[in-house]
Amino acid sequence: ATVRSGEAAVLADEQGRVLLPSVVRYREDGQTEVGDEARAHAVSDAGNTISSVKRLMGRGADEIGTAGESYELVAAPGMVRINTVQGEKSPVEVSAVLLRALRERAEQTLGDELSGVVITVPAYFDEAQRQATKDAAALAGLKVFRLLNEPTAAAVAYGLDNAAEGVYAVYDLGGGTFDISVLRLSKGVFEVIATGGDSALGGDDFDAAVMRWAVPEGVADSRADWRTLMIEARRAKEALTSAESVQFEATLADGRKISRTLDRATFEELSAPLLERTLEACRRTVADAGFETDAIKGVVLVGGATRMPQVVRATADFFGTEPLVDIDPDEVVAIGAALQANQLAGNKSSEDEWLLLDVIPLSLGLEMMGGLVEKVIHRNETIPVARAQQFTTFKDGQTALAIHVVQGERELVDDCRSLARFELRGIPPMAAGAARIEVTFQVDADGLLAVSARELDTNASVSVKPSYGLSDDEITTMLQSAFDAAGDDKDLRALREQQVEADRLIEAIESALALDADLLSAAERAQLDALVSALRDARAGSDTDTIRAAVAALSSGSDLFAARRMDRSVARALAGRSIDEL
């Protein structure tokens, strides 16, 4: 889409079609086909016809699941690759073919080269997926002004078109992903308050539910059969939008024919669990935003899958208001992206001033002693954002600090996703806790993270850009597990904090004894050793209160020793010096 004469409009191809199916076919003669032309060969050349490549972007082979059942996936370092008659292709390359086709359509329509574009992505796309999208744009010859979350783009399109104000929800059910965002629209400011979703859920899953109903398990034993049945399931699903019943008919590669009648009531029963998953995500996101559903002024439907009658009814019942469908659900995201691109290109008047405030979907933090997570940037914080936090060393004389960047909502590192590991070296050797190390997290407007660390006294520094991020499924799973385990996490964190404090105190006492044990009598030394031993025993257990009490006892029991060490230090500092010198 683009803005012409102040109006945003979608661009059609030479046949008048505004939608480009996300399908690419690689032919033996070295040519490629895109869109409807490629989709026509989805059955006859299933192994070379790639669809829904968005599900593969930025993902490794162990993260794909069933995303690529109709073609051969090849495990490779980093991102998975797809085996075709033209050799192995990465999802970035396939995506670039689609973006290039859209670029050519735009340039033919507008009669000139594009100066820049805004590309939309699911709100739950992680850093690797966002970076892969930018790489695909570069391959397609596009300069990216901004990566924009799809629900946010829809809100921009609706809000500017209707001069809407208040709190709105955007329910985005696409082919492969589901996003829900809650935004506040006020005087030209679009503020995303919370975002959520179920990234393993989309229109494709509704198709699969129909296919499983129509065909016994194991019948679709070839890629061509799988494609044939999924195409027919999609056709049946779409027909039920207006019809009360439809005939499911398919012919398999071996000549077997399948024919069953599917009515709307049966389809709604089949898809009810999928629909409930979207509503559960809505409940969590509305709660994250700090609202009740009755505070939502309107809900905008995005994505072709929202045309299903049961989706319209369910969202109306859940939010207590009829969904807003003034703009075509297939076009609303592109229209919002065009409006943002127009603004970023500087084509705006004083009346067109508006501000877009988006958020990150998951918290970012660092691993602390004891395997704890210290969150630096919390989920649903507005981007771009930068946060700096000071940390220190754990041991005397420590000259390097290992930094582990993680993402997730849980309290322990083991329950979060690792993003990057790096080391800050060149820290001056000094007592534990004396060094001052500042770690800065920066998330840009595209949702991409950069981390830097520096020692404040010497300015020793290091920077890192994480090379991979979270998969969609992991984000959803992390959030759900965080909700389920919040109570246990709190107890575990308290235990780990006391264990770390116990380790710190024991190490400090032993270090002091190695230097100044002569300040204690035999009885005093025995008493201090007993307190250290008691703390070690408590530390080995899992009773937080017992460890806390043992820490307090050792801290109190070592006060006299600490005072004598201080006296000795002062005496040494003053020895042989006159008052005038001091």
Side-chain angles (χ1 to χ4, degrees):
T2 191
V3 174
R4 288 189 287 186
S5 302
E7 293 293 325
V10 293
L11 303 177
D13 64 10
E14 293 174 345
Q15 286 75 42
R17 300 170 299 195
V18 298
L19 293 182
L20 178 73
S22 296
V23 185
V24 175
R25 180 194 178 206
Y26 291 93
R27 300 187 341 195
E28 280 191 75
D29 62 4
Q31 299 296 308
T32 56
E33 294 174 340
V34 182
D36 290 296
E37 288 74 19
R39 191 158 64 177
H41 297 277
V43 175
S44 62
D45 195 15
N48 296 301
T49 306
I50 318 302
S51 61
S52 298
V53 74
K54 192 156 80 171
R55 280 192 168 187
L56 307 181
M57 294 288 277
R59 288 183 162 194
D62 59 339
E63 300 174 297
I64 298 303
T66 59
E69 293 180 20
S70 59
Y71 36 82
E72 183 183 352
L73 297 178
V74 181
M79 222 180 308
V80 72
R81 300 178 78 84
I82 306 157
N83 198 21
T84 76
V85 71
Q86 294 184 27
E88 292 182 8
K89 301 291 181 182
S90 74
V92 169
E93 293 173 284
V94 180
S95 183
V97 173
L98 293 164
L99 291 172
R100 191 177 299 115
L102 291 172
R103 188 201 79 198
E104 291 169 357
R105 176 192 298 187
E107 290 179 344
Q108 287 170 5
T109 304
L110 302 174
D112 200 355
E113 292 186 358
L114 302 180
S115 59
V117 298
V118 167
I119 298 179
T120 61
V121 294
Y124 264 23
F125 251 25
D126 66 50
E127 178 173 309
Q129 291 166 312
R130 290 171 191 267
Q131 189 59 56
T133 302
K134 292 191 81 170
D135 293 341
L139 282 177
L142 294 168
K143 177 186 176 184
V144 179
F145 283 154
R146 181 70 46 83
L147 295 181
L148 183 60
N149 287 339
E150 288 161 4
T152 309
V156 168
Y158 180 80
L160 292 182
D161 189 60
N162 295 272
E165 291 205 352
V167 178
Y168 286 81
V170 180
Y171 179 105
D172 183 355
L173 186 60
T177 59
F178 170 69
D179 283 331
I180 175 71
S181 291
V182 176
L183 304 94
R184 182 183 288 111
L185 281 57
S186 175
K187 297 180 180 177
V189 177
F190 296 80
E191 180 188 4
V192 181
I193 306 170
T195 190
D198 190 329
S199 51
L201 177 61
D204 294 347
D205 298 285
F206 287 76
D207 300 341
V210 172
M211 187 185 81
R212 287 192 297 270
W213 166 85
V215 183
E217 188 174 346
V219 168
D221 54 4
S222 71
R223 290 178 184 150
D225 284 348
W226 189 86
R227 272 282 173 88
T228 297
L229 294 167
M230 284 295 283
I231 289 170
E232 178 60 12
R234 183 179 298 115
R235 185 199 67 80
K237 175 192 73 176
E238 292 173 354
L240 288 173
T241 298
S242 54
E244 288 299 323
S245 66
V246 65
Q247 200 69 16
F248 183 103
E249 294 184 330
T251 302
L252 303 182
D254 61 5
R256 286 177 294 169
K257 294 185 183 294
I258 296 170
S259 180
R260 296 191 66 181
T261 300
L262 177 63
D263 58 42
R264 186 183 290 179
T266 301
F267 174 52
E268 291 183 358
E269 184 179 337
L270 291 171
S271 61
L274 300 172
L275 193 54
E276 178 53 35
R277 281 166 61 186
T278 72
L279 297 180
E280 182 57 36
C282 290
R283 289 187 190 96
R284 289 198 301 267
T285 305
V286 171
D288 283 347
F291 294 113
E292 300 292 338
T293 52
D294 56 11
I296 308 296
K297 187 175 179 180
V299 54
V300 179
L301 297 187
V302 178
T306 60
R307 288 190 170 90
M308 290 184 284
Q310 64 264 44
V311 171
V312 178
R313 284 200 312 274
T315 50
D317 291 344
F318 181 84
F319 289 102
T321 181
E322 285 300 315
L324 301 164
V325 289
D326 302 26
I327 307 175
D328 188 312
D330 282 323
E331 300 176 8
V332 63
V333 168
I335 288 173
L339 291 166
Q340 172 77 337
N342 190 58
Q343 186 193 54
L344 293 174
N347 303 326
K348 59 184 180 180
S349 65
S350 57
E351 292 92 40
D352 294 330
E353 290 290 342
W354 49 277
L355 177 64
L356 185 57
L357 303 173
D358 221 325
V359 299
I360 62 168
L362 278 177
S363 302
L364 297 160
L366 293 171
E367 178 178 358
M368 305 297 290
M369 290 300 299
L372 298 173
V373 176
E374 178 71 19
K375 293 182 177 68
V376 179
I377 299 179
H378 292 261
R379 70 187 175 99
N380 288 326
E381 283 208 43
T382 301
I383 57 175
V385 61
R387 291 279 186 276
Q389 203 155 320
Q390 283 194 20
F391 299 91
T392 190
T393 50
F394 184 75
K395 292 189 175 183
D396 292 343
Q398 187 174 335
T399 60
L401 185 72
I403 297 173
H404 183 198
V405 183
V406 297
Q407 190 167 25
E409 302 311 311
R410 301 293 295 275
E411 295 288 347
L412 304 184
V413 168
D414 290 346
D415 299 319
C416 293
R417 173 66 181 267
S418 171
L419 289 184
R421 294 176 184 269
F422 61 106
E423 285 190 355
L424 173 64
R425 296 187 175 276
I427 301 171
M430 56 183 86
R436 295 181 303 146
I437 296 145
E438 184 176 78
V439 180
T440 303
F441 280 45
Q442 289 181 299
V443 180
D444 66 18
D446 293 326
L448 299 176
L449 170 68
V451 182
S452 62
R454 68 188 183 103
E455 202 284 313
L456 296 180
D457 291 328
T458 63
N459 236 14
S461 64
V462 63
S463 298
V464 66
K465 194 157 188 177
S467 59
Y468 60 93
L470 292 161
S471 74
D472 287 346
D473 291 343
E474 285 172 323
I475 292 176
T476 304
T477 302
M478 279 182 181
L479 283 175
Q480 186 57 58
S481 65
F483 291 126
D484 295 342
D488 292 341
D489 280 358
K490 185 177 180 182
D491 294 339
L492 273 173
R493 184 178 184 91
L495 174 61
R496 288 289 180 90
E497 286 175 342
Q498 287 303 312
Q499 289 173 334
V500 169
E501 178 63 16
D503 292 341
R504 184 201 63 77
L505 185 56
I506 289 171
E507 185 163 332
I509 294 293
E510 290 181 337
S511 176
L513 286 170
L515 295 172
D516 296 312
D518 61 297
L519 292 174
L520 297 173
S521 67
E524 289 171 335
R525 174 63 188 267
Q527 184 179 17
L528 193 56
D529 286 344
L531 289 172
V532 170
S533 178
L535 180 54
R536 284 189 195 283
D537 292 342
R539 165 67 175 82
S542 57
D543 189 315
T544 305
D545 291 336
T546 300
I547 300 173
R548 184 182 292 112
V551 166
L554 179 54
S555 180
S556 175
S558 61
D559 281 349
L560 181 62
F561 180 38
R564 289 176 184 172
R565 293 191 73 220
M566 179 64 74
D567 289 345
R568 173 176 281 182
S569 295
V570 171
R572 284 172 176 167
L574 297 179
R577 304 179 71 183
S578 68
I579 291 177
D580 291 339
E581 289 178 299
L582 297 172

